[in-house]
Amino acid sequence: MTIHKDKRVLVGMSGGIDSSAVCIMLQEQGYEVVGVTMRTWDVPSHFSTPGQEQPDEVLEAQALAARLGIEHHVADVREEFRQVIVKYFIDEYMRGRTPNPCVMCNPLFKERILCEWADRTDCAWIATGHYCQLEDRNGYRYILTGDDPTKDQSYFLWKLPQEILRRMIFPLGGMTKQEVRAYLAEKGFEAKARGGESMEICFIDKDYRDFLREHCPDIDERIGPGWFVDSKGLKLGQHKGFAYYTIGQRRGLDIALGKPAYVLKINPAKNTVMLGDAEQLNAEYMLVEDVNVANLEELLTCPSLSVRIRYRSRAIPCRVITLDDNRLLVKFEGPASAITPGQSAVFYDGNRVLGGGFIAFQQAIRKIAAENQERFSK
């Protein structure tokens, strides 16, 4: 039987539950499935036996491909992953920000490489095991949230450009994780169906601070100890270096103030970390930069706009205006706390992703908000 190129689909195979289910589903739907597994970063826990040359995920993907009779490739992209994603991860902490490696990895790395391999293997489509859906509307393709709220991954994909979205297939978006496990078991893959979950940050299997020290050995020399300060600038005690803290952090501060203390702000230029009460984390406004939106006018005029400021957080009703420097000023219309530079702000109209951006440093936010207050009332 000859299958037309339009039915050839490249699947990003991690060897796990979700991508395995995707391969089986698409094959059942008449697609000619081609698998590619990216070897991005070798973590010791990914090698089950001594002397094993390939990580478990590659071996598992190869075994599944052989069982299904599909073409499979291994893309060794470890050096590029180090230069792009790991470098970004370290650089963000060194700037006093909290990185979003999964958000950067999807458009800048994994989906780009999948596109390259799709072209190389003559595949019209690209499929992954993300729990989200797609919708075409008014000439644009939008990401929709997945039906399983505990697994929805739409938050991570806001940076995908339209040209990639138009080639994507997300077969699992209308299913729950339990339904995916049941599907695999029904198809005779009982062991795979019982598999565990993957790590959220695939290249870290310990505390990120240890990772920073390991891959940036001079970090303590470059940064060194600094001061914890209060909101008035009063010194409270020494900290280990601003890169080891994140906004909203409470545990691991190693300072006794007689009451709970939270990280409010990080100033990398002065190597200070501001501490305060939980109430001081509350925010009415937020600055967002590096914006990717399908239709900006829709974002600015959406009557039911909401924003998520971290993965798995609730969506907060909001309004948005543009600033002259291409940043967005967001006004929250519900409680918001711990605005963290470097994290993603993802905008939704109901279950539809309108776009997103990175949370910027919030310097002069009160002044900027006051100067633009009237624009929100129009």
Side-chain angles (χ1 to χ4, degrees), residues 34-262:
V34 179
V36 63
T37 303
M38 294 180 217
R39 187 174 179 180
T40 56
W41 191 264
D42 290 345
V43 176
S45 60
H46 292 178
F47 294 79
S48 298
T49 59
Q52 186 173 312
E53 294 186 1
Q54 296 271 23
D56 293 342
E57 59 190 26
V58 171
L59 299 181
E60 291 180 15
Q62 288 175 333
L64 178 72
R67 183 170 170 180
L68 296 178
I70 66 176
E71 180 183 336
H72 181 264
H73 304 271
V74 178
D76 190 340
V77 290
R78 285 175 289 179
E79 184 55 34
E80 188 177 0
F81 186 84
R82 176 189 293 274
Q83 293 298 325
V84 177
I85 302 304
V86 175
K87 182 178 185 299
Y88 151 79
F89 181 83
I90 294 172
D91 287 350
E92 283 289 89
Y93 275 113
M94 297 297 282
R95 293 176 60 198
R97 294 159 58 100
T98 302
N100 236 173
C102 295
V103 167
M104 292 298 286
C105 190
N106 281 297
L108 288 185
F109 198 80
K110 289 185 176 179
E111 264 67 18
R112 177 178 57 80
I113 290 173
L114 287 176
C115 278
E116 293 172 0
W117 274 88
D119 293 339
R120 188 182 306 180
T121 55
D122 207 28
C123 291
W125 302 101
I126 300 164
T128 66
H130 287 99
Y131 284 80
C132 56
Q133 303 174 83
L134 293 167
E135 177 186 73
D136 292 319
R137 183 188 296 202
N138 299 326
Y140 299 101
R141 174 157 286 191
Y142 293 93
I143 296 170
L144 305 181
T145 57
D147 281 357
D148 186 343
T150 66
K151 293 299 296 181
D152 168 50
Q153 292 169 303
S154 61
Y155 175 85
F156 293 119
L157 302 178
W158 64 265
K159 207 167 172 55
L160 285 178
Q162 288 289 305
E163 59 267 25
I164 291 182
L165 283 177
R166 295 186 191 280
R167 298 182 71 176
M168 297 298 300
I169 302 174
F170 298 125
L172 307 185
M175 303 176 69
T176 67
K177 186 74 173 195
Q178 285 306 110
E179 288 172 339
V180 173
R181 290 183 185 273
Y183 171 81
L184 280 173
E186 177 189 334
K187 297 301 176 181
F189 295 83
E190 293 86 354
K192 180 66 67 179
R194 295 191 297 268
E197 298 285 347
S198 59
M199 296 180 294
E200 285 189 8
I201 301 181
C202 64
F203 56 91
I204 294 181
D205 60 352
K206 50 189 174 183
D207 190 279
Y208 84 88
R209 298 164 184 85
D210 295 327
F211 184 89
L212 290 178
R213 293 189 184 99
E214 179 181 352
H215 296 280
C216 188
D218 63 345
I219 185 171
D220 292 324
E221 296 175 11
R222 290 168 60 183
I223 297 179
W227 290 103
F228 284 123
V229 298
D230 63 15
S231 57
K232 297 179 180 179
L234 180 66
K235 294 179 180 178
L236 303 174
Q238 277 202 323
H239 62 67
K240 298 175 182 178
F242 68 80
Y244 299 134
Y245 305 90
T246 188
I247 305 299
Q249 180 179 338
R250 176 186 172 185
R251 300 183 184 279
L253 299 179
D254 296 326
I255 185 172
L257 299 177
K259 60 180 180 179
Y262 298 81

Side-chain angles (χ1 to χ4, degrees), residues 21 99 183 205 264 278 316 331:
Y183 171 81
D205 60 352
L264 304 181
I316 306 168
K331 182 178 182 180

Side-chain angles (χ1 to χ4, degrees), residues 312-369:
R312 290 183 179 172
S313 70
R314 61 181 178 78
I316 306 168
C318 68
R319 296 180 64 188
V320 173
I321 61 172
T322 56
L323 301 177
D324 292 340
D325 56 8
N326 295 320
R327 292 186 298 176
L328 299 179
L329 178 61
V330 180
K331 182 178 182 180
F332 297 111
E333 297 187 337
S337 177
I339 307 303
T340 307
Q343 289 289 289
S344 289
V346 184
F347 299 99
Y348 292 80
D349 177 13
N351 70 333
R352 183 166 56 106
V353 176
L354 299 185
F358 288 109
I359 298 174
F361 283 116
Q362 304 295 300
Q363 280 96 338
I365 183 69
R366 293 182 181 177
K367 179 175 182 291
I368 295 170

